[in-house]
Every structure is written in structure tokens, then in C-alpha cells.
Amino acid sequence: MRDIQWEHIFDIQLAIESFPYVMQGIWYTLLISLVSMAAGLIISLFLAVARASDRSWLRWPARIYISFMRGVPILIILFMLYFGFPFIGIEFNAVTAALIGFSLNSAAYMAEINRSAIAAVPRGQWESARSLGFSYWLMMRRIVLPQASRIAVPPLTNVLLDLIKASSLAAMITVPEIFQMSRIVAGREMDYMTMFILVALIYWGICSVMTVLQNYLEKRFEKYGEI
């Protein structure tokens, strides 16, 4: 058996030289992840409220939307938006298609998280609000959602971590995020292993920072809940 030559697995010099170029794509990675998280969260709140509603004309469209988005791979959604929609006269650039796709897809997952958090609010809170004459939407805004938000924080931050990692799929529609930038260098230098290890380490670093933020938010909301 031949001795393993580690430079054939990970060329440190190439990784160091390519790092600044690959990191040029981090702004697209963060843009897609954070904007999709924010937009998806807003959409998910409406979906969660509709999903928990007693009115079937609100509940069933929300259920169908959530089922579809959770059952279809995000890559197919991206391809439909970027490659498919031009055939019906609607054209998005790569970044816009990625933002729309990830926002709509993540909203379905966050809607189920928010729905579970809403369901975890004690029924006595709902009954007290109704006895005070609160409308359904006022009750949700003033009583239910503030309490549900504390419950939803840990799983919602996990969705953000998933979005950061899934943003690499935007490379398939030519968005110049960090994975796409690493592929360009890998193709030019014919050293895919080094570049893929490098980009894996970059994703690991980003997610590690987000995990620290997640732990901070969890502790903060835990203390708030105790008060």
C-alpha cells in the first residue's frame, strides 16, 4: 500500500491562498440565510395562526401549503423559480430566486414550530382572553404569541443553522456564495478535496458562531420566563 501523501488530500498552501477569494461569497451566504429566515418567520406566523384556526377556509390552505413545501426538495423549488418560471414569462435573477425559494420553504417548517409553540400556551390563557372580549387576532397578538415565542426560540435557531448549510444549494443556480466560489477554485486548480474541506471548515465556523448566539438566546429567554 502506498503511503498517503497528505498534500493530495488537503493542500494547506492552496487553502490559505484561496481563503480570501472563497470568503467573498460569505455575504451571499449570510444574505440568503438571514433574509430568508426573517421573511420565512413572518410568513410562518400567518401560516401557524391559520393552521391553528377553527375556520376550515384558513386551516386547509395552510395545511396544504405546509405539506407541499415540506414534501418537495428545496433544490426543485429553486430550479422551478430560476429555470422554470421564465417559460411562463416570469424571470428572477439567481439571488432573488434563492431568497424567494428559501423563504417560502423555511416558512413551512417554522410554521409547524410556531403552531406547536402556540398549542403549548395553556388553554386557560385563551379562555381568559375570550372572557375579556378579545377578538381572535387581538388575543393572538397580545396574549398567545408573546408566550409562544419563548417556547419557539430553540427550534427556530436550529432552522437558521439548517438555512446556512442549505444555502450551499444556491450554487446550483449560480449564486456566488462560498460553496460556488470554492467550486470555481477547485475547477481551476483541479483540487476538489482541498477546496471542499476548506468550505466545510468555513461552514463549521459560521454555524459554531450561530450556536453560541443560540445558547445565549435560550438562556436569556429562560430567565425571562422565570420572571
Side-chain angles (χ1 to χ4, degrees):
M1 181 181 294
R2 295 184 303 173
D3 292 336
I4 297 175
Q5 297 183 5
W6 292 107
E7 63 270 16
H8 292 166
I9 297 177
F10 186 68
D11 187 336
I12 297 178
Q13 183 176 352
L14 175 61
I16 293 173
E17 292 175 351
S18 303
F19 182 77
Y21 180 79
V22 173
M23 287 299 289
Q24 290 178 22
I26 195 171
W27 307 114
Y28 287 99
T29 296
L30 295 177
L31 173 70
I32 291 170
S33 303
L34 298 178
V35 172
S36 297
M37 181 70 185
L41 183 58
I42 294 171
I43 297 170
S44 73
L45 290 174
F46 290 99
L47 288 170
V49 171
R51 179 77 170 78
S53 175
D54 295 332
R55 299 174 176 85
S56 59
W57 60 273
L58 282 175
R59 186 173 65 253
W60 279 103
R63 291 186 66 174
I64 292 170
Y65 176 89
I66 292 169
S67 176
F68 178 80
M69 284 296 176
R70 294 179 69 189
V72 177
I74 179 60
L75 188 58
I76 294 178
I77 301 297
L78 294 177
F79 274 33
M80 288 171 61
L81 288 167
Y82 188 64
F83 297 113
F85 269 49
F87 285 96
I88 59 173
I90 303 174
E91 190 169 348
F92 301 111
N93 62 46
V95 175
T96 302
L99 290 172
I100 294 173
F102 281 108
S103 297
L104 295 177
N105 184 261
S106 64
Y109 291 92
M110 289 189 281
E112 287 297 277
I113 292 171
N114 289 327
R115 183 183 66 85
S116 299
I118 289 171
V121 175
R123 299 308 298 181
Q125 300 286 329
W126 298 69
E127 293 168 3
S128 297
R130 288 194 181 101
S131 67
L132 292 172
F134 280 37
S135 68
Y136 179 78
W137 295 106
L138 184 61
M139 174 180 65
M140 294 300 296
R141 184 163 59 89
R142 293 284 184 86
I143 306 297
V144 178
L145 290 180
Q147 297 181 67
S149 63
R150 295 199 302 271
I151 301 170
V153 164
L156 286 178
T157 49
N158 287 333
V159 172
L160 177 58
L161 292 177
D162 288 338
L163 270 173
I164 292 170
K165 292 179 287 185
S167 67
S168 60
L169 292 173
M172 300 299 102
I173 58 171
T174 72
V175 175
E177 45 73 62
I178 55 177
F179 182 53
Q180 174 71 350
M181 302 299 277
S182 71
R183 291 175 66 207
I184 292 172
V185 177
R188 184 183 67 220
E189 302 293 332
M190 295 303 295
D191 190 343
Y192 288 91
M193 194 64 174
T194 294
M195 297 314 301
F196 290 165
I197 291 175
L198 174 62
V199 79
L201 293 174
I202 293 172
Y203 277 114
W204 182 27
I206 296 171
C207 289
S208 296
V209 172
M210 291 300 176
T211 300
V212 172
L213 177 61
Q214 176 185 18
N215 293 335
Y216 169 77
L217 289 174
E218 287 182 19
K219 289 179 181 178
R220 186 183 180 103
F221 275 90
E222 213 173 272
K223 290 179 181 178
Y224 179 76
E226 289 174 357
I227 294 173

